[in-house]
mmCIF file of all heavy atoms in Angstrom:
data_model
loop_
_atom_site.group_PDB
_atom_site.id
_atom_site.type_symbol
_atom_site.label_atom_id
_atom_site.label_comp_id
_atom_site.label_asym_id
_atom_site.label_seq_id
_atom_site.Cartn_x
_atom_site.Cartn_y
_atom_site.Cartn_z
ATOM 1 N N GLN A 1 0.821 -1.219 0.000
ATOM 2 C CA GLN A 1 0.000 0.000 0.000
ATOM 3 C C GLN A 1 0.856 1.269 0.000
ATOM 4 O O GLN A 1 0.502 2.261 -0.614
ATOM 5 C CB GLN A 1 -0.974 -0.013 1.189
ATOM 6 C CG GLN A 1 -2.050 -1.085 1.078
ATOM 7 C CD GLN A 1 -2.719 -1.135 -0.299
ATOM 8 O OE1 GLN A 1 -3.236 -0.127 -0.788
ATOM 9 N NE2 GLN A 1 -2.706 -2.302 -0.930
ATOM 10 N N ASN A 2 1.982 1.219 0.695
ATOM 11 C CA ASN A 2 2.870 2.399 0.742
ATOM 12 C C ASN A 2 4.188 2.127 0.025
ATOM 13 O O ASN A 2 5.197 2.742 0.324
ATOM 14 C CB ASN A 2 3.143 2.788 2.202
ATOM 15 C CG ASN A 2 1.866 3.153 2.920
ATOM 16 O OD1 ASN A 2 1.099 3.966 2.428
ATOM 17 N ND2 ASN A 2 1.622 2.525 4.068
ATOM 18 N N PHE A 3 4.153 1.204 -0.927
ATOM 19 C CA PHE A 3 5.387 0.773 -1.595
ATOM 20 C C PHE A 3 5.910 1.865 -2.524
ATOM 21 O O PHE A 3 5.184 2.399 -3.358
ATOM 22 C CB PHE A 3 5.105 -0.497 -2.402
ATOM 23 C CG PHE A 3 6.341 -1.150 -2.955
ATOM 24 C CD1 PHE A 3 7.017 -2.126 -2.236
ATOM 25 C CD2 PHE A 3 6.839 -0.802 -4.206
ATOM 26 C CE1 PHE A 3 8.158 -2.743 -2.747
ATOM 27 C CE2 PHE A 3 7.969 -1.404 -4.723
ATOM 28 C CZ PHE A 3 8.631 -2.388 -3.991
ATOM 29 N N SER A 4 7.186 2.194 -2.336
ATOM 30 C CA SER A 4 7.811 3.195 -3.209
ATOM 31 C C SER A 4 9.051 2.565 -3.844
ATOM 32 O O SER A 4 10.035 2.306 -3.160
ATOM 33 C CB SER A 4 8.203 4.417 -2.369
ATOM 34 O OG SER A 4 8.918 5.326 -3.159
ATOM 35 N N PRO A 5 8.996 2.263 -5.159
ATOM 36 C CA PRO A 5 10.137 1.578 -5.776
ATOM 37 C C PRO A 5 11.361 2.476 -5.877
ATOM 38 O O PRO A 5 11.255 3.654 -6.231
ATOM 39 C CB PRO A 5 9.627 1.198 -7.169
ATOM 40 C CG PRO A 5 8.405 1.998 -7.408
ATOM 41 C CD PRO A 5 7.889 2.460 -6.089
ATOM 42 N N GLU A 6 12.522 1.922 -5.537
ATOM 43 C CA GLU A 6 13.778 2.672 -5.670
ATOM 44 C C GLU A 6 14.449 2.363 -7.010
ATOM 45 O O GLU A 6 14.945 3.249 -7.683
ATOM 46 C CB GLU A 6 14.726 2.314 -4.508
ATOM 47 C CG GLU A 6 15.959 3.201 -4.495
ATOM 48 C CD GLU A 6 16.866 2.952 -3.299
ATOM 49 O OE1 GLU A 6 16.431 2.303 -2.329
ATOM 50 O OE2 GLU A 6 18.019 3.404 -3.356
ATOM 51 N N TRP A 7 14.445 1.094 -7.384
ATOM 52 C CA TRP A 7 14.995 0.680 -8.681
ATOM 53 C C TRP A 7 13.876 0.140 -9.565
ATOM 54 O O TRP A 7 12.875 -0.370 -9.066
ATOM 55 C CB TRP A 7 16.067 -0.400 -8.488
ATOM 56 C CG TRP A 7 17.444 0.201 -8.341
ATOM 57 C CD1 TRP A 7 17.923 0.858 -7.246
ATOM 58 C CD2 TRP A 7 18.484 0.222 -9.322
ATOM 59 N NE1 TRP A 7 19.208 1.288 -7.479
ATOM 60 C CE2 TRP A 7 19.581 0.908 -8.750
ATOM 61 C CE3 TRP A 7 18.604 -0.265 -10.616
ATOM 62 C CZ2 TRP A 7 20.785 1.114 -9.441
ATOM 63 C CZ3 TRP A 7 19.803 -0.070 -11.307
ATOM 64 C CH2 TRP A 7 20.882 0.620 -10.729
ATOM 65 N N THR A 8 14.081 0.265 -10.869
ATOM 66 C CA THR A 8 13.124 -0.252 -11.845
ATOM 67 C C THR A 8 13.847 -1.169 -12.824
ATOM 68 O O THR A 8 14.920 -0.824 -13.321
ATOM 69 C CB THR A 8 12.464 0.907 -12.635
ATOM 70 O OG1 THR A 8 11.941 1.855 -11.706
ATOM 71 C CG2 THR A 8 11.348 0.403 -13.530
ATOM 72 N N VAL A 9 13.256 -2.334 -13.076
ATOM 73 C CA VAL A 9 13.749 -3.232 -14.129
ATOM 74 C C VAL A 9 12.750 -3.164 -15.269
ATOM 75 O O VAL A 9 11.565 -3.442 -15.083
ATOM 76 C CB VAL A 9 13.863 -4.696 -13.633
ATOM 77 C CG1 VAL A 9 14.332 -5.607 -14.767
ATOM 78 C CG2 VAL A 9 14.794 -4.798 -12.434
ATOM 79 N N VAL A 10 13.207 -2.751 -16.445
ATOM 80 C CA VAL A 10 12.361 -2.725 -17.640
ATOM 81 C C VAL A 10 12.872 -3.834 -18.558
ATOM 82 O O VAL A 10 14.017 -3.799 -19.006
ATOM 83 C CB VAL A 10 12.399 -1.354 -18.353
ATOM 84 C CG1 VAL A 10 11.530 -1.363 -19.599
ATOM 85 C CG2 VAL A 10 11.949 -0.245 -17.399
ATOM 86 N N ASN A 11 12.012 -4.821 -18.800
ATOM 87 C CA ASN A 11 12.434 -6.061 -19.455
ATOM 88 C C ASN A 11 11.558 -6.318 -20.690
ATOM 89 O O ASN A 11 10.381 -6.640 -20.564
ATOM 90 C CB ASN A 11 12.318 -7.201 -18.423
ATOM 91 C CG ASN A 11 12.497 -8.579 -19.023
ATOM 92 O OD1 ASN A 11 11.618 -9.423 -18.868
ATOM 93 N ND2 ASN A 11 13.598 -8.825 -19.681
ATOM 94 N N ALA A 12 12.170 -6.144 -21.884
ATOM 95 C CA ALA A 12 11.431 -6.282 -23.152
ATOM 96 C C ALA A 12 12.176 -7.242 -24.083
ATOM 97 O O ALA A 12 12.917 -6.808 -24.973
ATOM 98 C CB ALA A 12 11.262 -4.913 -23.802
ATOM 99 N N PRO A 13 11.994 -8.553 -23.886
ATOM 100 C CA PRO A 13 12.722 -9.523 -24.718
ATOM 101 C C PRO A 13 12.436 -9.399 -26.211
ATOM 102 O O PRO A 13 13.297 -9.719 -27.045
ATOM 103 C CB PRO A 13 12.233 -10.881 -24.190
ATOM 104 C CG PRO A 13 11.746 -10.619 -22.810
ATOM 105 C CD PRO A 13 11.182 -9.233 -22.846
ATOM 106 N N GLY A 14 11.243 -8.913 -26.563
ATOM 107 C CA GLY A 14 10.874 -8.819 -27.982
ATOM 108 C C GLY A 14 11.422 -7.586 -28.682
ATOM 109 O O GLY A 14 11.322 -7.459 -29.911
ATOM 110 N N PHE A 15 12.020 -6.657 -27.925
ATOM 111 C CA PHE A 15 12.575 -5.438 -28.529
ATOM 112 C C PHE A 15 13.994 -5.710 -29.017
ATOM 113 O O PHE A 15 14.841 -6.171 -28.250
ATOM 114 C CB PHE A 15 12.590 -4.291 -27.510
ATOM 115 C CG PHE A 15 13.268 -3.049 -28.034
ATOM 116 C CD1 PHE A 15 12.541 -2.085 -28.724
ATOM 117 C CD2 PHE A 15 14.641 -2.866 -27.875
ATOM 118 C CE1 PHE A 15 13.173 -0.948 -29.219
ATOM 119 C CE2 PHE A 15 15.273 -1.733 -28.377
ATOM 120 C CZ PHE A 15 14.540 -0.774 -29.049
ATOM 121 N N MET A 16 14.267 -5.414 -30.271
ATOM 122 C CA MET A 16 15.616 -5.623 -30.821
ATOM 123 C C MET A 16 16.288 -4.269 -31.059
ATOM 124 O O MET A 16 15.749 -3.414 -31.764
ATOM 125 C CB MET A 16 15.538 -6.385 -32.150
ATOM 126 C CG MET A 16 14.825 -7.719 -32.056
ATOM 127 S SD MET A 16 15.715 -8.927 -31.051
ATOM 128 C CE MET A 16 14.376 -10.034 -30.566
ATOM 129 N N ALA A 17 17.472 -4.101 -30.483
ATOM 130 C CA ALA A 17 18.211 -2.850 -30.676
ATOM 131 C C ALA A 17 18.841 -2.823 -32.068
ATOM 132 O O ALA A 17 19.080 -3.856 -32.684
ATOM 133 C CB ALA A 17 19.293 -2.719 -29.615
ATOM 134 N N ASN A 18 19.116 -1.603 -32.514
ATOM 135 C CA ASN A 18 19.862 -1.402 -33.758
ATOM 136 C C ASN A 18 21.263 -0.919 -33.354
ATOM 137 O O ASN A 18 21.420 0.232 -32.941
ATOM 138 C CB ASN A 18 19.139 -0.349 -34.610
ATOM 139 C CG ASN A 18 19.910 0.017 -35.866
ATOM 140 O OD1 ASN A 18 21.091 -0.318 -36.006
ATOM 141 N ND2 ASN A 18 19.248 0.693 -36.779
ATOM 142 N N PRO A 19 22.296 -1.786 -33.427
ATOM 143 C CA PRO A 19 23.610 -1.432 -32.869
ATOM 144 C C PRO A 19 24.181 -0.117 -33.404
ATOM 145 O O PRO A 19 24.730 0.677 -32.639
ATOM 146 C CB PRO A 19 24.497 -2.625 -33.266
ATOM 147 C CG PRO A 19 23.551 -3.754 -33.475
ATOM 148 C CD PRO A 19 22.277 -3.149 -33.971
ATOM 149 N N GLU A 20 24.038 0.132 -34.716
ATOM 150 C CA GLU A 20 24.616 1.365 -35.289
ATOM 151 C C GLU A 20 23.988 2.606 -34.657
ATOM 152 O O GLU A 20 24.658 3.587 -34.366
ATOM 153 C CB GLU A 20 24.395 1.418 -36.813
ATOM 154 C CG GLU A 20 25.242 0.443 -37.616
ATOM 155 C CD GLU A 20 24.710 -0.978 -37.566
ATOM 156 O OE1 GLU A 20 23.476 -1.153 -37.524
ATOM 157 O OE2 GLU A 20 25.540 -1.918 -37.531
ATOM 158 N N GLU A 21 22.707 2.518 -34.411
ATOM 159 C CA GLU A 21 21.967 3.681 -33.897
ATOM 160 C C GLU A 21 21.994 3.752 -32.367
ATOM 161 O O GLU A 21 22.078 4.828 -31.776
ATOM 162 C CB GLU A 21 20.514 3.539 -34.375
ATOM 163 C CG GLU A 21 19.739 4.819 -34.424
ATOM 164 C CD GLU A 21 18.346 4.566 -35.006
ATOM 165 O OE1 GLU A 21 18.227 4.422 -36.238
ATOM 166 O OE2 GLU A 21 17.391 4.494 -34.201
ATOM 167 N N ASP A 22 21.928 2.575 -31.717
ATOM 168 C CA ASP A 22 21.689 2.541 -30.271
ATOM 169 C C ASP A 22 22.944 2.404 -29.416
ATOM 170 O O ASP A 22 22.876 2.517 -28.188
ATOM 171 C CB ASP A 22 20.721 1.395 -29.936
ATOM 172 C CG ASP A 22 19.359 1.587 -30.611
ATOM 173 O OD1 ASP A 22 18.941 2.749 -30.735
ATOM 174 O OD2 ASP A 22 18.742 0.579 -30.998
ATOM 175 N N GLY A 23 24.079 2.113 -30.043
ATOM 176 C CA GLY A 23 25.326 2.029 -29.267
ATOM 177 C C GLY A 23 25.553 0.691 -28.598
ATOM 178 O O GLY A 23 26.468 0.540 -27.783
ATOM 179 N N THR A 24 24.719 -0.295 -28.932
ATOM 180 C CA THR A 24 24.909 -1.642 -28.386
ATOM 181 C C THR A 24 25.864 -2.418 -29.287
ATOM 182 O O THR A 24 26.256 -1.949 -30.356
ATOM 183 C CB THR A 24 23.558 -2.383 -28.310
ATOM 184 O OG1 THR A 24 22.979 -2.397 -29.621
ATOM 185 C CG2 THR A 24 22.601 -1.699 -27.354
ATOM 186 N N ARG A 25 26.233 -3.634 -28.867
ATOM 187 C CA ARG A 25 27.110 -4.477 -29.696
ATOM 188 C C ARG A 25 26.288 -5.229 -30.734
ATOM 189 O O ARG A 25 26.702 -5.418 -31.865
ATOM 190 C CB ARG A 25 27.863 -5.467 -28.797
ATOM 191 C CG ARG A 25 28.896 -6.323 -29.520
ATOM 192 C CD ARG A 25 29.546 -7.300 -28.557
ATOM 193 N NE ARG A 25 28.649 -8.385 -28.186
ATOM 194 C CZ ARG A 25 28.673 -9.606 -28.718
ATOM 195 N NH1 ARG A 25 29.540 -9.895 -29.666
ATOM 196 N NH2 ARG A 25 27.814 -10.529 -28.318
#
């Protein structure tokens, strides 16, 4: 009821990064 999150995990397995644009490997 009074929960206040300090950290957030955002987990999207179906999202594919574009390495050239996004800076990933």
Side-chain angles (χ1 to χ4, degrees):
Q1 292 313 305
N2 299 309
F3 189 91
S4 174
E6 188 175 345
W7 269 74
T8 308
V9 178
V10 179
N11 170 236
F15 175 89
M16 303 293 157
N18 175 347
E20 288 78 35
E21 203 176 283
D22 298 325
T24 56
R25 185 182 73 100

